[in-house]
mmCIF file of all heavy atoms in Angstrom:
data_model
loop_
_atom_site.group_PDB
_atom_site.id
_atom_site.type_symbol
_atom_site.label_atom_id
_atom_site.label_comp_id
_atom_site.label_asym_id
_atom_site.label_seq_id
_atom_site.Cartn_x
_atom_site.Cartn_y
_atom_site.Cartn_z
ATOM 1 N N ALA A 28 0.848 -1.263 -0.007
ATOM 2 C CA ALA A 28 0.016 0.022 0.011
ATOM 3 C C ALA A 28 0.842 1.261 0.004
ATOM 4 O O ALA A 28 0.537 2.225 -0.685
ATOM 5 C CB ALA A 28 -0.889 -0.042 1.187
ATOM 6 N N LYS A 29 1.985 1.205 0.728
ATOM 7 C CA LYS A 29 2.880 2.330 0.733
ATOM 8 C C LYS A 29 3.576 2.478 -0.540
ATOM 9 O O LYS A 29 3.777 3.634 -1.013
ATOM 10 C CB LYS A 29 3.950 2.098 1.903
ATOM 11 C CG LYS A 29 4.949 3.254 2.073
ATOM 12 C CD LYS A 29 5.850 2.981 3.178
ATOM 13 C CE LYS A 29 6.952 4.076 3.239
ATOM 14 N NZ LYS A 29 7.954 3.757 4.197
ATOM 15 N N LEU A 30 3.913 1.340 -1.181
ATOM 16 C CA LEU A 30 4.609 1.363 -2.507
ATOM 17 C C LEU A 30 3.780 1.932 -3.622
ATOM 18 O O LEU A 30 4.157 2.720 -4.428
ATOM 19 C CB LEU A 30 5.138 0.021 -2.795
ATOM 20 C CG LEU A 30 6.215 -0.199 -3.791
ATOM 21 C CD1 LEU A 30 7.518 0.479 -3.503
ATOM 22 C CD2 LEU A 30 6.433 -1.712 -4.072
ATOM 23 N N VAL A 31 2.493 1.346 -3.717
ATOM 24 C CA VAL A 31 1.629 1.697 -4.930
ATOM 25 C C VAL A 31 0.492 2.633 -4.535
ATOM 26 O O VAL A 31 -0.258 3.004 -5.424
ATOM 27 C CB VAL A 31 1.196 0.477 -5.559
ATOM 28 C CG1 VAL A 31 2.332 -0.403 -6.160
ATOM 29 C CG2 VAL A 31 0.215 -0.376 -4.750
ATOM 30 N N GLY A 32 0.257 2.824 -3.280
ATOM 31 C CA GLY A 32 -0.951 3.589 -2.922
ATOM 32 C C GLY A 32 -2.127 2.784 -2.481
ATOM 33 O O GLY A 32 -2.387 1.729 -3.119
ATOM 34 N N GLU A 33 -2.739 3.140 -1.431
ATOM 35 C CA GLU A 33 -3.915 2.300 -0.857
ATOM 36 C C GLU A 33 -5.023 2.193 -1.972
ATOM 37 O O GLU A 33 -5.595 1.072 -2.090
ATOM 38 C CB GLU A 33 -4.467 2.925 0.378
ATOM 39 C CG GLU A 33 -3.457 2.643 1.482
ATOM 40 C CD GLU A 33 -4.046 3.186 2.837
ATOM 41 O OE1 GLU A 33 -5.277 3.171 3.000
ATOM 42 O OE2 GLU A 33 -3.272 3.444 3.741
ATOM 43 N N ASP A 34 -5.386 3.316 -2.636
ATOM 44 C CA ASP A 34 -6.521 3.228 -3.615
ATOM 45 C C ASP A 34 -6.171 2.380 -4.708
ATOM 46 O O ASP A 34 -6.979 1.525 -5.149
ATOM 47 C CB ASP A 34 -6.897 4.653 -4.076
ATOM 48 C CG ASP A 34 -7.412 5.520 -2.997
ATOM 49 O OD1 ASP A 34 -8.012 4.960 -2.017
ATOM 50 O OD2 ASP A 34 -7.438 6.752 -3.208
ATOM 51 N N PHE A 35 -4.930 2.426 -5.274
ATOM 52 C CA PHE A 35 -4.510 1.644 -6.395
ATOM 53 C C PHE A 35 -4.481 0.146 -5.952
ATOM 54 O O PHE A 35 -4.931 -0.745 -6.701
ATOM 55 C CB PHE A 35 -3.098 2.020 -6.855
ATOM 56 C CG PHE A 35 -2.600 1.253 -8.110
ATOM 57 C CD1 PHE A 35 -3.219 1.635 -9.434
ATOM 58 C CD2 PHE A 35 -1.683 0.325 -8.071
ATOM 59 C CE1 PHE A 35 -2.776 0.965 -10.473
ATOM 60 C CE2 PHE A 35 -1.236 -0.413 -9.091
ATOM 61 C CZ PHE A 35 -1.886 -0.088 -10.346
ATOM 62 N N LEU A 36 -4.014 -0.112 -4.657
ATOM 63 C CA LEU A 36 -3.953 -1.568 -4.266
ATOM 64 C C LEU A 36 -5.337 -2.085 -4.187
ATOM 65 O O LEU A 36 -5.605 -3.209 -4.562
ATOM 66 C CB LEU A 36 -3.203 -1.597 -2.884
ATOM 67 C CG LEU A 36 -3.049 -2.935 -2.415
ATOM 68 C CD1 LEU A 36 -2.187 -3.823 -3.384
ATOM 69 C CD2 LEU A 36 -2.252 -2.929 -1.064
ATOM 70 N N GLU A 37 -6.315 -1.303 -3.695
ATOM 71 C CA GLU A 37 -7.723 -1.744 -3.599
ATOM 72 C C GLU A 37 -8.319 -2.080 -5.006
ATOM 73 O O GLU A 37 -8.990 -3.092 -5.110
ATOM 74 C CB GLU A 37 -8.607 -0.705 -2.874
ATOM 75 C CG GLU A 37 -8.401 -0.902 -1.351
ATOM 76 C CD GLU A 37 -8.749 -2.228 -0.775
ATOM 77 O OE1 GLU A 37 -9.760 -2.858 -1.158
ATOM 78 O OE2 GLU A 37 -7.923 -2.663 0.086
ATOM 79 N N ILE A 38 -8.027 -1.219 -5.988
ATOM 80 C CA ILE A 38 -8.507 -1.467 -7.357
ATOM 81 C C ILE A 38 -7.876 -2.687 -7.850
ATOM 82 O O ILE A 38 -8.572 -3.527 -8.373
ATOM 83 C CB ILE A 38 -8.162 -0.251 -8.233
ATOM 84 C CG1 ILE A 38 -8.906 1.000 -7.868
ATOM 85 C CG2 ILE A 38 -8.285 -0.615 -9.722
ATOM 86 C CD1 ILE A 38 -8.443 2.272 -8.494
ATOM 87 N N LYS A 39 -6.548 -2.979 -7.631
ATOM 88 C CA LYS A 39 -5.938 -4.218 -8.099
ATOM 89 C C LYS A 39 -6.546 -5.346 -7.394
ATOM 90 O O LYS A 39 -6.656 -6.489 -7.994
ATOM 91 C CB LYS A 39 -4.453 -4.091 -7.915
ATOM 92 C CG LYS A 39 -3.757 -3.164 -8.873
ATOM 93 C CD LYS A 39 -3.863 -3.698 -10.304
ATOM 94 C CE LYS A 39 -3.142 -2.941 -11.398
ATOM 95 N NZ LYS A 39 -3.111 -3.582 -12.681
ATOM 96 N N LYS A 40 -6.757 -5.295 -6.093
ATOM 97 C CA LYS A 40 -7.280 -6.439 -5.312
ATOM 98 C C LYS A 40 -8.639 -6.918 -5.915
ATOM 99 O O LYS A 40 -8.998 -7.966 -6.154
ATOM 100 C CB LYS A 40 -7.502 -6.100 -3.920
ATOM 101 C CG LYS A 40 -6.239 -6.154 -3.083
ATOM 102 C CD LYS A 40 -6.560 -5.857 -1.553
ATOM 103 C CE LYS A 40 -5.359 -5.932 -0.724
ATOM 104 N NZ LYS A 40 -5.670 -5.582 0.711
ATOM 105 N N GLU A 41 -9.535 -5.859 -6.167
ATOM 106 C CA GLU A 41 -10.852 -6.141 -6.821
ATOM 107 C C GLU A 41 -10.680 -6.766 -8.140
ATOM 108 O O GLU A 41 -11.362 -7.710 -8.466
ATOM 109 C CB GLU A 41 -11.676 -4.819 -6.878
ATOM 110 C CG GLU A 41 -12.167 -4.343 -5.573
ATOM 111 C CD GLU A 41 -12.986 -3.035 -5.685
ATOM 112 O OE1 GLU A 41 -13.530 -2.729 -6.817
ATOM 113 O OE2 GLU A 41 -12.991 -2.349 -4.709
ATOM 114 N N GLN A 42 -9.808 -6.197 -9.025
ATOM 115 C CA GLN A 42 -9.580 -6.741 -10.338
ATOM 116 C C GLN A 42 -9.141 -8.186 -10.265
ATOM 117 O O GLN A 42 -9.470 -8.991 -11.052
ATOM 118 C CB GLN A 42 -8.527 -5.896 -11.022
ATOM 119 C CG GLN A 42 -8.069 -6.321 -12.343
ATOM 120 C CD GLN A 42 -6.975 -5.567 -12.978
ATOM 121 O OE1 GLN A 42 -6.432 -4.521 -12.372
ATOM 122 N NE2 GLN A 42 -6.451 -5.957 -14.089
ATOM 123 N N HIS A 43 -8.242 -8.558 -9.289
ATOM 124 C CA HIS A 43 -7.734 -9.868 -9.274
ATOM 125 C C HIS A 43 -8.532 -10.827 -8.530
ATOM 126 O O HIS A 43 -8.261 -12.007 -8.508
ATOM 127 C CB HIS A 43 -6.272 -9.829 -8.712
ATOM 128 C CG HIS A 43 -5.393 -9.074 -9.717
ATOM 129 N ND1 HIS A 43 -5.296 -9.500 -11.092
ATOM 130 C CD2 HIS A 43 -4.536 -8.131 -9.616
ATOM 131 C CE1 HIS A 43 -4.417 -8.731 -11.653
ATOM 132 N NE2 HIS A 43 -4.026 -7.811 -10.770
ATOM 133 N N HIS A 44 -9.607 -10.491 -7.781
ATOM 134 C CA HIS A 44 -10.431 -11.383 -7.114
ATOM 135 C C HIS A 44 -11.454 -11.986 -8.087
ATOM 136 O O HIS A 44 -12.247 -12.842 -7.701
ATOM 137 C CB HIS A 44 -11.017 -10.738 -5.900
ATOM 138 C CG HIS A 44 -10.114 -10.740 -4.626
ATOM 139 N ND1 HIS A 44 -8.950 -10.181 -4.766
ATOM 140 C CD2 HIS A 44 -10.282 -11.341 -3.465
ATOM 141 C CE1 HIS A 44 -8.306 -10.352 -3.557
ATOM 142 N NE2 HIS A 44 -9.091 -11.071 -2.747
ATOM 143 N N LYS A 45 -11.542 -11.541 -9.216
ATOM 144 C CA LYS A 45 -12.396 -12.039 -10.249
ATOM 145 C C LYS A 45 -11.696 -13.228 -10.953
ATOM 146 O O LYS A 45 -10.593 -12.981 -11.462
ATOM 147 C CB LYS A 45 -12.888 -10.972 -11.312
ATOM 148 C CG LYS A 45 -13.579 -9.799 -10.737
ATOM 149 C CD LYS A 45 -13.856 -8.781 -11.802
ATOM 150 C CE LYS A 45 -14.478 -7.572 -11.041
ATOM 151 N NZ LYS A 45 -14.403 -6.431 -12.013
ATOM 152 N N PRO A 46 -12.276 -14.426 -11.030
ATOM 153 C CA PRO A 46 -11.553 -15.522 -11.557
ATOM 154 C C PRO A 46 -11.318 -15.266 -13.092
ATOM 155 O O PRO A 46 -12.291 -14.953 -13.826
ATOM 156 C CB PRO A 46 -12.565 -16.767 -11.434
ATOM 157 C CG PRO A 46 -13.585 -16.189 -10.502
ATOM 158 C CD PRO A 46 -13.523 -14.777 -10.432
ATOM 159 N N THR A 47 -10.118 -15.331 -13.485
ATOM 160 C CA THR A 47 -9.732 -15.075 -14.887
ATOM 161 C C THR A 47 -8.779 -16.127 -15.410
ATOM 162 O O THR A 47 -7.834 -16.429 -14.768
ATOM 163 C CB THR A 47 -8.984 -13.659 -15.047
ATOM 164 O OG1 THR A 47 -9.880 -12.708 -14.410
ATOM 165 C CG2 THR A 47 -8.855 -13.336 -16.451
ATOM 166 N N LYS A 48 -9.172 -16.660 -16.562
ATOM 167 C CA LYS A 48 -8.309 -17.640 -17.145
ATOM 168 C C LYS A 48 -7.567 -17.062 -18.362
ATOM 169 O O LYS A 48 -8.120 -16.223 -19.038
ATOM 170 C CB LYS A 48 -9.150 -18.853 -17.720
ATOM 171 C CG LYS A 48 -9.779 -19.641 -16.593
ATOM 172 C CD LYS A 48 -8.878 -20.840 -16.302
ATOM 173 C CE LYS A 48 -9.657 -21.745 -15.210
ATOM 174 N NZ LYS A 48 -8.930 -22.779 -14.881
ATOM 175 N N MET A 49 -6.322 -17.393 -18.555
ATOM 176 C CA MET A 49 -5.605 -16.854 -19.697
ATOM 177 C C MET A 49 -5.546 -17.980 -20.719
ATOM 178 O O MET A 49 -5.174 -19.087 -20.424
ATOM 179 C CB MET A 49 -4.175 -16.481 -19.285
ATOM 180 C CG MET A 49 -4.063 -15.232 -18.383
ATOM 181 S SD MET A 49 -2.359 -14.799 -18.026
ATOM 182 C CE MET A 49 -1.963 -14.038 -19.588
ATOM 183 N N THR A 50 -5.841 -17.599 -21.981
ATOM 184 C CA THR A 50 -5.732 -18.495 -23.105
ATOM 185 C C THR A 50 -4.225 -18.585 -23.475
ATOM 186 O O THR A 50 -3.425 -17.795 -23.121
ATOM 187 C CB THR A 50 -6.519 -18.077 -24.292
ATOM 188 O OG1 THR A 50 -5.923 -16.887 -24.689
ATOM 189 C CG2 THR A 50 -8.000 -17.867 -24.004
ATOM 190 N N LYS A 51 -3.919 -19.577 -24.299
ATOM 191 C CA LYS A 51 -2.477 -19.673 -24.844
ATOM 192 C C LYS A 51 -2.128 -18.450 -25.562
ATOM 193 O O LYS A 51 -1.023 -17.916 -25.536
ATOM 194 C CB LYS A 51 -2.361 -20.917 -25.741
ATOM 195 C CG LYS A 51 -2.288 -22.224 -24.852
ATOM 196 C CD LYS A 51 -1.922 -23.388 -25.842
ATOM 197 C CE LYS A 51 -1.842 -24.626 -24.953
ATOM 198 N NZ LYS A 51 -1.549 -25.833 -25.838
ATOM 199 N N ALA A 52 -3.143 -17.909 -26.400
ATOM 200 C CA ALA A 52 -2.856 -16.687 -27.130
ATOM 201 C C ALA A 52 -2.638 -15.476 -26.207
ATOM 202 O O ALA A 52 -1.735 -14.643 -26.441
ATOM 203 C CB ALA A 52 -4.041 -16.323 -28.033
ATOM 204 N N ASP A 53 -3.370 -15.375 -25.129
ATOM 205 C CA ASP A 53 -3.165 -14.339 -24.076
ATOM 206 C C ASP A 53 -1.767 -14.400 -23.519
ATOM 207 O O ASP A 53 -1.047 -13.356 -23.451
ATOM 208 C CB ASP A 53 -4.239 -14.453 -22.989
ATOM 209 C CG ASP A 53 -5.624 -14.141 -23.343
ATOM 210 O OD1 ASP A 53 -5.825 -13.390 -24.410
ATOM 211 O OD2 ASP A 53 -6.479 -14.697 -22.658
ATOM 212 N N LYS A 54 -1.331 -15.610 -23.190
ATOM 213 C CA LYS A 54 -0.080 -15.775 -22.553
ATOM 214 C C LYS A 54 1.083 -15.471 -23.568
ATOM 215 O O LYS A 54 2.003 -14.874 -23.180
ATOM 216 C CB LYS A 54 0.097 -17.194 -21.999
ATOM 217 C CG LYS A 54 -0.719 -17.468 -20.623
ATOM 218 C CD LYS A 54 -0.558 -18.883 -20.253
ATOM 219 C CE LYS A 54 0.661 -19.043 -19.355
ATOM 220 N NZ LYS A 54 0.768 -20.317 -18.765
ATOM 221 N N LYS A 55 0.757 -15.760 -24.843
ATOM 222 C CA LYS A 55 1.799 -15.492 -25.744
ATOM 223 C C LYS A 55 1.902 -13.969 -25.979
ATOM 224 O O LYS A 55 3.013 -13.468 -26.139
ATOM 225 C CB LYS A 55 1.413 -16.104 -27.181
ATOM 226 C CG LYS A 55 2.421 -15.954 -28.267
ATOM 227 C CD LYS A 55 1.929 -16.599 -29.531
ATOM 228 C CE LYS A 55 3.007 -16.368 -30.745
ATOM 229 N NZ LYS A 55 2.570 -17.012 -31.987
ATOM 230 N N ASP A 56 0.822 -13.269 -26.050
ATOM 231 C CA ASP A 56 0.730 -11.877 -26.173
ATOM 232 C C ASP A 56 1.510 -11.187 -24.975
ATOM 233 O O ASP A 56 2.371 -10.198 -25.068
ATOM 234 C CB ASP A 56 -0.575 -11.292 -26.309
ATOM 235 C CG ASP A 56 -1.155 -11.565 -27.650
ATOM 236 O OD1 ASP A 56 -0.530 -11.938 -28.641
ATOM 237 O OD2 ASP A 56 -2.441 -11.445 -27.683
ATOM 238 N N MET A 57 1.103 -11.651 -23.829
ATOM 239 C CA MET A 57 1.777 -11.171 -22.446
ATOM 240 C C MET A 57 3.213 -11.361 -22.462
ATOM 241 O O MET A 57 4.056 -10.380 -22.231
ATOM 242 C CB MET A 57 1.160 -11.802 -21.273
ATOM 243 C CG MET A 57 1.802 -11.393 -19.988
ATOM 244 S SD MET A 57 1.379 -12.429 -18.597
ATOM 245 C CE MET A 57 2.271 -13.960 -19.052
ATOM 246 N N TYR A 58 3.598 -12.458 -22.869
ATOM 247 C CA TYR A 58 5.160 -12.727 -22.930
ATOM 248 C C TYR A 58 5.863 -11.882 -23.942
ATOM 249 O O TYR A 58 6.908 -11.344 -23.655
ATOM 250 C CB TYR A 58 5.354 -14.317 -23.341
ATOM 251 C CG TYR A 58 6.792 -14.694 -23.264
ATOM 252 C CD1 TYR A 58 7.544 -14.753 -22.003
ATOM 253 C CD2 TYR A 58 7.547 -14.909 -24.402
ATOM 254 C CE1 TYR A 58 8.904 -15.154 -21.999
ATOM 255 C CE2 TYR A 58 8.852 -15.303 -24.353
ATOM 256 C CZ TYR A 58 9.491 -15.366 -23.239
ATOM 257 O OH TYR A 58 10.864 -15.804 -23.156
ATOM 258 N N SER A 59 5.269 -11.730 -25.134
ATOM 259 C CA SER A 59 5.834 -10.850 -26.087
ATOM 260 C C SER A 59 5.912 -9.360 -25.610
ATOM 261 O O SER A 59 6.985 -8.762 -25.768
ATOM 262 C CB SER A 59 4.980 -10.889 -27.359
ATOM 263 O OG SER A 59 5.534 -10.075 -28.349
ATOM 264 N N TYR A 60 4.883 -8.923 -24.992
ATOM 265 C CA TYR A 60 4.829 -7.571 -24.378
ATOM 266 C C TYR A 60 6.037 -7.421 -23.341
ATOM 267 O O TYR A 60 6.702 -6.497 -23.296
ATOM 268 C CB TYR A 60 3.466 -7.266 -23.730
ATOM 269 C CG TYR A 60 3.479 -6.022 -23.089
ATOM 270 C CD1 TYR A 60 3.420 -4.755 -23.691
ATOM 271 C CD2 TYR A 60 3.555 -5.916 -21.615
ATOM 272 C CE1 TYR A 60 3.451 -3.581 -23.026
ATOM 273 C CE2 TYR A 60 3.566 -4.752 -20.907
ATOM 274 C CZ TYR A 60 3.493 -3.493 -21.567
ATOM 275 O OH TYR A 60 3.531 -2.359 -20.953
ATOM 276 N N TYR A 61 6.087 -8.390 -22.381
ATOM 277 C CA TYR A 61 7.059 -8.292 -21.297
ATOM 278 C C TYR A 61 8.566 -8.502 -21.827
ATOM 279 O O TYR A 61 9.319 -7.815 -21.387
ATOM 280 C CB TYR A 61 6.756 -9.322 -20.266
ATOM 281 C CG TYR A 61 5.567 -8.851 -19.354
ATOM 282 C CD1 TYR A 61 4.716 -9.754 -18.742
ATOM 283 C CD2 TYR A 61 5.435 -7.543 -18.958
ATOM 284 C CE1 TYR A 61 3.720 -9.298 -17.900
ATOM 285 C CE2 TYR A 61 4.540 -7.090 -18.140
ATOM 286 C CZ TYR A 61 3.551 -8.006 -17.614
ATOM 287 O OH TYR A 61 2.544 -7.646 -16.731
ATOM 288 N N CYS A 62 8.739 -9.273 -22.933
ATOM 289 C CA CYS A 62 10.099 -9.420 -23.550
ATOM 290 C C CYS A 62 10.507 -8.062 -24.073
ATOM 291 O O CYS A 62 11.630 -7.577 -23.913
ATOM 292 C CB CYS A 62 10.083 -10.403 -24.535
ATOM 293 S SG CYS A 62 10.120 -12.109 -23.930
ATOM 294 N N GLY A 63 9.549 -7.411 -24.745
ATOM 295 C CA GLY A 63 9.842 -6.050 -25.302
ATOM 296 C C GLY A 63 10.113 -4.990 -24.178
ATOM 297 O O GLY A 63 11.051 -4.122 -24.327
ATOM 298 N N LEU A 64 9.294 -5.112 -23.114
ATOM 299 C CA LEU A 64 9.507 -4.207 -21.998
ATOM 300 C C LEU A 64 10.906 -4.358 -21.393
ATOM 301 O O LEU A 64 11.546 -3.485 -21.078
ATOM 302 C CB LEU A 64 8.421 -4.345 -20.981
ATOM 303 C CG LEU A 64 8.446 -3.531 -19.663
ATOM 304 C CD1 LEU A 64 8.467 -2.026 -19.987
ATOM 305 C CD2 LEU A 64 7.306 -3.916 -18.783
ATOM 306 N N LEU A 65 11.289 -5.663 -21.137
ATOM 307 C CA LEU A 65 12.585 -5.907 -20.621
ATOM 308 C C LEU A 65 13.711 -5.427 -21.415
ATOM 309 O O LEU A 65 14.625 -4.761 -20.972
ATOM 310 C CB LEU A 65 12.706 -7.433 -20.379
ATOM 311 C CG LEU A 65 14.117 -7.912 -19.777
ATOM 312 C CD1 LEU A 65 14.309 -7.204 -18.407
ATOM 313 C CD2 LEU A 65 14.101 -9.355 -19.598
ATOM 314 N N LYS A 66 13.588 -5.581 -22.775
ATOM 315 C CA LYS A 66 14.550 -5.095 -23.673
ATOM 316 C C LYS A 66 14.713 -3.592 -23.565
ATOM 317 O O LYS A 66 15.768 -3.047 -23.519
ATOM 318 C CB LYS A 66 14.168 -5.452 -25.104
ATOM 319 C CG LYS A 66 15.172 -5.138 -26.157
ATOM 320 C CD LYS A 66 14.786 -5.551 -27.519
ATOM 321 C CE LYS A 66 15.727 -5.140 -28.570
ATOM 322 N NZ LYS A 66 15.208 -5.465 -29.980
ATOM 323 N N ASP A 67 13.630 -2.896 -23.439
ATOM 324 C CA ASP A 67 13.634 -1.360 -23.244
ATOM 325 C C ASP A 67 14.259 -0.988 -21.963
ATOM 326 O O ASP A 67 14.925 -0.078 -21.960
ATOM 327 C CB ASP A 67 12.146 -0.839 -23.340
ATOM 328 C CG ASP A 67 12.046 0.590 -23.231
ATOM 329 O OD1 ASP A 67 12.653 1.324 -24.010
ATOM 330 O OD2 ASP A 67 11.397 1.054 -22.256
ATOM 331 N N LEU A 68 13.844 -1.693 -20.876
ATOM 332 C CA LEU A 68 14.553 -1.350 -19.588
ATOM 333 C C LEU A 68 16.033 -1.530 -19.658
ATOM 334 O O LEU A 68 16.751 -0.726 -19.124
ATOM 335 C CB LEU A 68 13.915 -2.318 -18.471
ATOM 336 C CG LEU A 68 12.470 -1.924 -18.175
ATOM 337 C CD1 LEU A 68 11.940 -3.105 -17.214
ATOM 338 C CD2 LEU A 68 12.267 -0.614 -17.395
#
């Protein structure tokens, strides 16, 4: 809460308490996005 803010943490908690499944395509897109982000960092 100190790191990201209490309001933001509450929003994320609500978002993540909803059951969500990732498809293989979702995981592939996520991995591609994160590989690009790492390269940029």
